[in-house]
Amino acid sequence: MNRKNGEERYKKKKGLFGSIFPKDHDFRFMLADQADKTLEGVQTLVNWLDEKPLRDPIELEIIAGDVDKMRYNMEEILIEAFSTPFDRQDIYSLSRNMDYILNYSKETAREIYAYKVDPDPTILDMSNALLLGTKCVYEGVNSINNDGEKIREMIRRSRNAIHELEDIYITGTSELFKSDDPMDALKKREVYHHLRDAGRALRSTVDTLHTVVVGLN
């Protein structure tokens, strides 16, 4: 994203929430910005899986590095902040777990590329379920202090996506154990596991988001 677009997005979000949060510590905006970047990263993973042949997933690593910086910056500001719009532990947990979603997505891509794994339907379906759940988190974070019904609906949809990811993992793994190629099965098992870890990070993110909603009502 170029600088001009980033500035325009910032102004738009500041216009919506500038009257609620202090100018120097707009945690709502920082979380929304991180959610946006997290969604971009998971979408990049899904798009990358469709490439033939797969190239080095450097773009995803760059995005993950950007989100790491966002998280570390927020942690520093949290230490200095006098007040926060909601519990500072929830702010920290939301930021940390969104970061984990992207880190596991990055590790998934690195393993696929390094092990020369051909993405199978299980990998593709788990990645798409992760993307759907992450989209709901993005919408939910952007609805904090704005649309309570929408955020609750996004939480429900995200949890459905998480359940779907788990079901795909179990079914795919059971089929993998029947494989006549143990080395290929071992490689794919590692990939499945990291995608499942991304799903668990998504679950933790959604649980924290729900805690925020309960606390604000």
Side-chain angles (χ1 to χ4, degrees), residues 54-68:
L54 292 175
R55 57 185 170 81
D56 191 336
I58 185 65
E59 182 181 358
L60 186 52
E61 294 192 38
I62 292 172
I63 294 172
D66 290 342
V67 172
D68 283 339

Side-chain angles (χ1 to χ4, degrees), residues 158-196:
S158 187
R159 284 175 170 163
N160 288 338
I162 293 165
H163 291 316
E164 180 183 359
L165 189 153
E166 283 287 336
D167 289 343
I168 296 167
Y169 170 81
I170 293 171
T171 302
T173 303
S174 67
E175 290 299 317
L176 202 59
F177 290 155
K178 303 173 186 176
S179 172
D180 294 328
D181 187 342
M183 185 55 67
D184 181 66
L186 181 62
K187 292 176 181 179
K188 287 182 177 177
R189 168 66 178 79
E190 287 295 308
V191 174
Y192 292 3
H193 186 72
H194 263 109
L195 280 169
R196 191 187 200 188

Side-chain angles (χ1 to χ4, degrees), residues 71-123:
R71 173 188 168 190
Y72 301 149
N73 179 61
M74 182 178 293
E75 288 175 357
E76 290 299 317
I77 294 175
L78 272 173
I79 293 172
E80 300 172 356
F82 177 75
S83 63
T84 59
F86 48 88
D87 188 85
R88 67 182 62 229
Q89 179 61 45
D90 290 337
I91 294 174
Y92 172 81
S93 294
L94 268 176
S95 179
R96 179 193 62 189
N97 287 310
M98 283 193 289
D99 192 23
Y100 285 171
I101 294 170
L102 199 46
N103 283 337
Y104 284 125
S105 297
K106 177 191 70 175
E107 292 304 316
T108 296
R110 289 183 61 195
E111 285 184 344
I112 290 172
Y113 183 73
Y115 302 162
K116 302 186 186 307
V117 171
D118 185 22
D120 62 10
T122 298
I123 293 172

Side-chain angles (χ1 to χ4, degrees), residues 35-67:
D36 185 18
K37 203 70 175 176
T38 301
L39 177 57
E40 179 185 345
V42 178
Q43 182 69 69
T44 298
L45 170 66
V46 171
N47 293 344
W48 177 82
L49 289 170
D50 286 333
E51 294 184 3
K52 302 293 181 184
L54 292 175
R55 57 185 170 81
D56 191 336
I58 185 65
E59 182 181 358
L60 186 52
E61 294 192 38
I62 292 172
I63 294 172
D66 290 342
V67 172

